[in-house]
Amino acid sequence: KYEKMGADALLVISPYYNKTSKSGLVKHFIQIADSVETSILIYNIPGRTGINIPYEVMEEISRHKNIVGVKEASGNFSAIATLMSLSDGKVDLYSGHDDQIVTLLSLGGKGVISVLSNVAPRQTHDICASYFAGDVKTSAALQLKAIPLITELFSEVNPIPVKAAMNMMGKGVGPLRMPLTEMEPQNQEKLKKAMTAYGIL
């Protein structure tokens, strides 16, 4: 049904609250992959789900034709490097953290699934494009220049700050839905200053 609704791919997280074993994770993801024709990116975000997807699980499930890659937001670079070594190029790796784009690219990453790109799409593109063009120095410099803004974009629970930022830019993305609440005024002021310093406001 997702294909009929126009989905190009699915971003699938690990089960939360009822955490499971490695074998349970494998069965969970394979069952989802078997039930769709759509390509799947696994989203490893233990900070939200409370469970890290072990690299052994990711390597095993990536053999499924529908599971094409991982959005990696664990920050565990040793495990990520091991996954990329074991998978032998079979896993498309994407950074799930805007402050770790260049690091993930250096381990064989294909890009980033980004919050920053909502307010600075060209700059986020340029971080990746410079790296892929072989200009790692420029890529790293662009990454570091964006850090103060990225910090403020995550000063409260995502997507609170990025929606505030987009509204400041006149994008008109509207209010938040509960349980998310509007950004604290002092944090919004810090975000505004970071956006101004970065040149997008």
Side-chain angles (χ1 to χ4, degrees):
K1 72 178 183 179
Y2 301 106
E3 297 89 346
K4 292 178 181 177
M5 294 170 68
D8 295 315
L10 303 177
L11 189 62
V12 180
I13 61 170
S14 56
Y16 52 90
Y17 183 69
N18 283 326
K19 300 172 188 178
T20 186
S21 62
K22 290 180 183 179
S23 62
L25 284 170
V26 170
K27 290 177 182 177
H28 169 77
F29 289 123
I30 294 299
Q31 184 177 47
I32 294 171
D34 282 341
S35 68
V36 299
E37 295 298 323
T38 314
S39 295
I40 291 173
L41 280 172
I42 304 299
Y43 190 3
N44 188 26
I45 183 162
R48 294 222 182 200
T49 63
I51 186 169
N52 182 64
I53 303 169
Y55 62 81
E56 305 97 322
V57 170
M58 193 62 226
E59 191 275 330
E60 182 174 348
I61 64 177
S62 67
R63 299 171 196 162
H64 194 289
K65 65 180 178 65
N66 289 340
I67 297 177
V68 298
V70 57
K71 177 182 178 182
E72 181 54 65
S74 70
N76 186 338
F77 295 113
S78 294
I80 295 166
T82 302
L83 168 63
M84 297 307 285
S85 174
L86 289 174
S87 67
D88 194 27
K90 296 183 179 69
V91 175
D92 285 349
L93 173 68
Y94 293 88
S95 176
H97 284 306
D98 285 307
D99 60 353
Q100 298 172 2
I101 301 170
V102 176
T103 310
L104 269 287
L105 294 181
S106 72
L107 291 173
K110 301 287 187 181
V112 58
I113 300 174
S114 169
V115 172
L116 176 66
S117 65
N118 289 281
V119 295
R122 179 182 56 79
Q123 295 90 331
T124 308
H125 165 271
D126 289 349
I127 292 171
C128 296
S130 296
Y131 187 94
F132 293 134
D135 190 351
V136 178
K137 185 176 180 179
T138 295
S139 179
L142 292 170
Q143 170 80 93
L144 295 176
K145 182 181 178 182
I147 294 297
L149 175 57
I150 293 166
T151 299
E152 298 309 324
L153 286 172
F154 289 91
S155 61
E156 293 188 23
V157 176
N158 182 48
I160 292 173
V162 74
K163 285 201 75 170
M166 294 181 77
N167 281 324
M168 281 186 232
M169 295 172 76
K171 302 295 184 183
V173 295
L176 294 145
R177 290 181 293 179
M178 289 293 289
L180 300 178
T181 56
E182 294 304 314
M183 197 172 188
E184 295 294 331
Q186 65 273 22
N187 292 336
Q188 187 159 336
E189 186 59 31
K190 291 178 183 177
L191 174 61
K192 185 177 180 180
K193 287 179 180 177
M195 292 169 66
T196 300
Y198 194 64
I200 59 171
L201 192 63

